[in-house]
Amino acid sequence: MAEVTTIKLKPETHLLLDQPLLRLPVELSKKNFKLAAVHAEHDKRAILSSLKSAANDAQKKTDPAETLKSLDNMISRMKNLKRKMETFHEEDKVIHRQTSKRLQHLHNLYQIPGLADVEYDNWSRIRLDRLLVDYLLRSGFGESARALAKEKGIEDLADLEVFVQCHRVEGSLRGGSTQECLAWCSEHRELTRKTNSTLEFELRLQQFIELRRKGLLLEARQHAQKYIISNAETTNPEVHRAAGLLAYSPHTRMEPYKSMYTQSRWDFLANLFVKTHHDLFALPARPLLHIALSAGLSALKTPSCHSKYASSSSNASSTTTTVCPICSTELNELARRLRHVQHNKSSVEHDPIVLPNGRVYGRDRLLEMSTKFGLEEGKVKDPTTLEVFDDSQIRKVFIS
């Protein structure tokens, strides 16, 4: 077996897990640029229109006070636009600083020669801290995540504000409010429209359901005409169901209207928002810690780890101990449903033999253990199943 000092580090395999580290700042920068362009274009049209109107008034020799008022309005709008652009510029500066820190963090990986280098241990600890912060953020523990990131000095390597905002909007939906999510949809409408997201339609449909729940039929019809029918294809089944909802009270047992009135729709909306948010910013649906654990556990897992005769602290029928991490009490159940990888290389004894029960051991070590068990000469004992066999029943194994 190769010594650990000879194992060369392959940075590309590590970067598979770290793609969101750079993709998110890129998506945030693109969002900022598009929002700035939308604001600039909107204010540009308004300013040009006001300027044209003021010029026409001046030519008609109208009251100079009206012309001055129009010019003051233009100047005020231009100042507001300047403040908006300064805000976007500050956000871009933060994104560029974070991107620079993240690029440096990944660049450091390419400077490490091998897995045994102490610098690799330091780099791995930083990544583990990042994964823990990501897990805390996704679980809703924003303050704990912020405290951990600050303690470890990795604020620029963690997506704190993005997940805090996501959790806040998600929490408002689970609490029965659509206002924050609708504001988020309004801010990101240009981006969500390209992904054909149905989030805003579902939010408007939920508002319609709540109006119908309160018995406000006129308001419900007006809301449907303004937000549902005008913004969706008339062939959409949800539109037809919304129309039918007017004829059924909140206490109906008729499906699908009964399901539309249930409180579980708020959980559906919260999950839909999280999915839309993560898709928009190219974030994985699962925590990165789960992905890393799944890959690591699968790499260590073997078919014997969950055998009924497996030598593990979690197996009551086992009489031996093992150093296999998957067979430990902490990880055995966690790895039960994961697949084991196909290993191309194996580490076996130099003198393997097979017992009649199909279990393979090294001959010298098996005889040594049988002697320690106090067996008579010519007998061997399986240390796992405790079965005793004659020496003549042993068969030598040849690995091909």
Side-chain angles (χ1 to χ4, degrees):
M1 181 182 291
E3 296 294 332
V4 70
T5 53
T6 65
I7 300 178
K8 185 178 179 181
L9 177 66
K10 297 180 180 179
E12 292 77 10
T13 60
H14 288 68
L15 296 184
L16 292 175
L17 188 64
D18 292 313
Q19 291 183 23
L21 193 65
L22 291 181
R23 292 179 67 179
L24 181 59
V26 171
E27 295 298 329
L28 289 175
S29 184
K30 287 165 59 178
K31 184 203 80 168
N32 262 16
F33 178 78
K34 289 179 180 179
L35 290 178
V38 168
H39 283 289
E41 185 63 26
H42 180 267
D43 286 344
K44 172 189 170 184
R45 288 197 297 265
I47 291 171
L48 290 178
S49 177
S50 298
L51 183 60
K52 183 177 180 180
S53 176
N56 290 336
D57 291 342
Q59 289 178 353
K60 294 176 182 178
K61 298 181 180 181
T62 57
D63 186 0
E66 292 296 326
T67 304
L68 290 174
K69 183 178 179 180
S70 179
L71 292 174
D72 288 339
N73 289 335
M74 282 190 295
I75 293 173
S76 177
R77 182 177 285 273
M78 293 175 69
K79 287 182 178 178
N80 288 333
L81 178 60
K82 179 183 177 183
R83 282 194 291 268
K84 292 177 184 177
M85 294 299 108
E86 288 175 346
T87 301
F88 285 125
H89 179 61
E90 290 300 319
E91 291 178 0
D92 272 341
K93 286 169 64 177
V94 173
I95 293 173
H96 292 162
R97 187 190 71 237
Q98 291 178 344
T99 304
S100 178
K101 292 288 184 66
R102 296 178 184 205
L103 285 171
Q104 184 59 48
H105 171 66
L106 297 179
H107 177 71
N108 292 340
L109 182 63
Y110 283 84
Q111 309 305 310
I112 303 173
L115 296 176
D117 196 290
V118 67
E119 290 300 323
Y120 178 71
D121 291 339
N122 296 333
W123 191 90
S124 297
R125 289 193 188 97
I126 294 175
R127 182 168 70 168
L128 177 58
D129 291 335
R130 287 197 300 104
L131 298 184
L132 291 173
V133 170
D134 175 82
Y135 180 78
L136 289 172
L137 287 170
R138 289 172 182 267
S139 302
F141 302 107
E143 293 303 319
S144 298
R146 194 182 300 275
L148 178 60
K150 184 177 181 180
E151 179 184 345
K152 300 299 182 179
I154 57 171
E155 292 96 332
D156 287 332
L157 302 181
D159 307 311
L160 296 170
E161 297 304 326
V162 172
F163 278 106
V164 168
Q165 182 193 39
C166 175
H167 183 67
R168 184 174 64 251
V169 176
E170 179 190 1
S172 70
L173 286 172
R174 296 192 189 279
S177 172
T178 60
Q179 296 306 314
E180 284 198 51
C181 194
L182 282 171
W184 185 89
C185 289
S186 177
E187 181 182 354
H188 300 84
R189 183 170 290 119
E190 293 297 324
L191 303 177
T192 55
R193 188 174 296 165
K194 293 182 178 180
T195 60
N196 297 321
S197 172
T198 61
L199 176 60
E200 187 170 359
F201 172 78
E202 293 290 347
L203 291 171
R204 296 299 184 183
L205 178 59
Q206 186 63 37
Q207 288 183 322
F208 171 80
I209 293 173
E210 295 305 315
L211 289 172
R212 178 63 185 88
R213 193 195 306 276
K214 295 175 182 178
L216 304 175
L217 297 180
L218 179 60
E219 290 82 351
R221 290 181 57 186
Q222 292 173 346
H223 178 86
Q225 290 173 350
K226 183 176 181 180
Y227 294 110
I228 296 179
I229 298 177
S230 62
N231 294 331
E233 297 292 337
T234 55
T235 56
N236 191 325
E238 292 296 330
V239 176
H240 296 163
R241 292 171 186 170
L245 200 68
L246 292 171
Y248 292 90
S249 71
H251 306 292
T252 183
R253 295 184 179 180
M254 181 70 67
E255 291 291 353
Y257 308 107
K258 179 182 177 181
S259 299
M260 295 176 73
Y261 278 121
T262 60
Q263 293 299 318
S264 61
R265 259 193 65 86
W266 290 107
D267 292 329
F268 162 74
L269 290 173
N271 294 333
L272 178 60
F273 164 72
V274 172
K275 181 181 183 303
T276 304
H277 176 274
H278 290 1
D279 289 345
L280 188 64
F281 293 115
L283 292 169
R286 298 170 59 198
L288 295 176
L289 184 63
H290 286 185
I291 298 174
L293 276 175
S294 298
L297 292 174
S298 293
L300 295 171
K301 184 178 178 180
T302 65
S304 63
C305 286
H306 292 96
S307 167
K308 65 178 181 178
Y309 296 119
S311 301
S312 70
S313 54
S314 61
N315 190 349
S317 65
S318 175
T319 60
T320 61
T321 58
T322 178
V323 294
C324 174
I326 305 302
C327 293
S328 66
T329 305
E330 296 80 8
L331 299 180
N332 190 262
E333 191 61 31
L334 191 62
R336 183 172 296 277
R337 296 187 179 182
L338 294 176
R339 295 185 177 184
H340 56 81
V341 297
Q342 180 67 36
H343 294 279
N344 295 324
K345 296 182 180 179
S346 300
S347 298
V348 297
E349 302 284 352
H350 67 282
D351 53 350
I353 53 93
V354 61
L355 297 177
N357 61 7
R359 300 186 69 83
V360 177
Y361 298 96
R363 180 183 179 86
D364 292 345
R365 295 186 63 184
L366 182 64
L367 294 176
E368 181 182 352
M369 284 189 289
S370 299
T371 302
K372 290 181 179 180
F373 281 133
L375 297 180
E376 61 186 65
E377 187 175 354
K379 298 286 186 180
V380 293
K381 188 175 186 178
D382 188 325
T384 302
T385 65
L386 304 182
E387 296 175 271
V388 178
F389 304 99
D390 291 331
D391 193 7
S392 60
Q393 296 178 280
I394 296 175
R395 296 290 181 268
K396 187 172 179 60
V397 176
F398 297 92
I399 300 177
S400 58

